[in-house]
Amino acid sequence: MEIALAALAGVFAFVGVLSLGGDSFVVRRRIRSARAWKIAEFPESVLGRIVGRVRLIGEPLQSPLSGRSCVCFVAEVYSDFSPGGIYRETRSVPFVIEDDSGHAIVDSDSEQARLDLQLHVTGACGRAVATLPEHAMFARRGRGPATKLEDWTFREGIIEPGAIVSVLGAGAREPDPEAPIDGGAVYREMPTRLRLFARRGYPLAISDRAI
């Protein structure tokens, strides 16, 4: 009987992972199917993929469960036996991506960016488990202050400055304020930089994998 229950729990856990990871899989597949470009060669008004290192611009986000500085995060509370009880939060801010040919602005925000992040367990709550304050606040933020903490698990994925990522987006060139000014040459050809953004029907997609 115990073996049968353990097997059943494994099935429910697997179903829970599929339901949570489905969107992430679609994002990853969309990124992988796009043509890869070097930043310096990325053409305008084309949907493409870039792999590079993250550099911070502006203020970073703070992930809600681990408190780490990042440019993107996915955080969630879930139960293997109650997939309908999931609460998930995703956020992202603009950042720079760099490769050996140059740099680009990733015009990422919480409304448009689709994230494929590897999630890691950060804690749990229940009768036999002490719940960390940050985790309890996160659960109640999504489900109300009177929420009773049940047998839930918390997971989080982030992209930190310095990480290698893959980004899918449409490209446009704009004046580069970081480029050095070379006397009168600037009037002949203004230095530009690439900006990746969401295009109608094609949300900006970001993965923490070098796809």
Side-chain angles (χ1 to χ4, degrees):
M1 182 65 176
E2 290 181 359
I3 295 175
L5 287 174
L8 183 61
V11 169
F12 273 100
F14 181 64
V15 171
V17 169
L18 284 180
S19 65
L20 291 169
D23 291 344
S24 188
F25 174 76
V26 171
V27 172
R28 196 179 322 144
R29 184 174 61 183
R30 178 175 288 179
I31 295 173
R32 184 179 287 115
S33 66
R35 176 173 172 176
W37 295 88
K38 288 289 187 181
I39 291 173
E41 301 168 354
F42 201 109
E44 288 195 272
S45 303
V46 168
L47 193 69
R49 165 169 50 101
I50 289 174
V51 177
R53 190 177 299 277
V54 171
R55 175 161 60 88
L56 185 66
I57 53 174
E59 291 296 319
L61 295 170
Q62 185 176 41
S63 61
L65 299 180
S66 63
R68 290 179 290 173
S69 295
C70 58
V71 296
C72 304
F73 73 73
V74 175
E76 65 184 17
V77 53
Y78 76 100
S79 167
D80 289 336
F81 295 96
S82 181
I86 296 170
Y87 170 64
R88 171 180 280 203
E89 219 176 86
T90 67
R91 286 195 63 194
S92 57
V93 293
F95 60 90
V96 173
I97 183 172
E98 299 175 316
D99 65 14
D100 57 9
S101 73
H103 68 277
I105 302 295
V106 180
D107 199 7
S108 167
D109 62 44
S110 300
E111 296 297 323
Q112 296 179 326
R114 301 292 181 266
L115 305 179
D116 164 41
L117 305 186
Q118 300 174 75
L119 303 183
H120 304 280
V121 174
T122 61
C125 62
R127 293 187 184 90
V129 182
T131 307
L132 296 174
E134 295 83 358
H135 292 62
M137 287 175 60
F138 177 77
R140 287 174 171 144
R141 188 162 72 209
R143 302 176 65 88
T147 296
K148 180 182 179 182
L149 298 179
E150 301 176 7
D151 291 325
W152 291 338
T153 302
F154 298 84
R155 300 197 303 189
E156 184 180 80
I158 70 170
I159 293 179
E160 297 176 286
I164 301 295
V165 299
S166 300
V167 180
L168 171 67
R173 296 282 170 181
E174 63 183 18
D176 186 357
E178 295 184 0
I181 298 177
D182 183 18
V186 69
Y187 296 103
R188 294 193 297 272
E189 186 176 351
M190 185 71 176
T192 63
R193 68 184 178 190
L194 178 68
R195 180 177 291 270
L196 293 178
F197 55 92
R199 193 175 69 181
R200 185 175 181 181
Y202 293 92
L204 191 74
I206 305 168
S207 176
D208 60 2
R209 299 166 170 86
I211 301 173

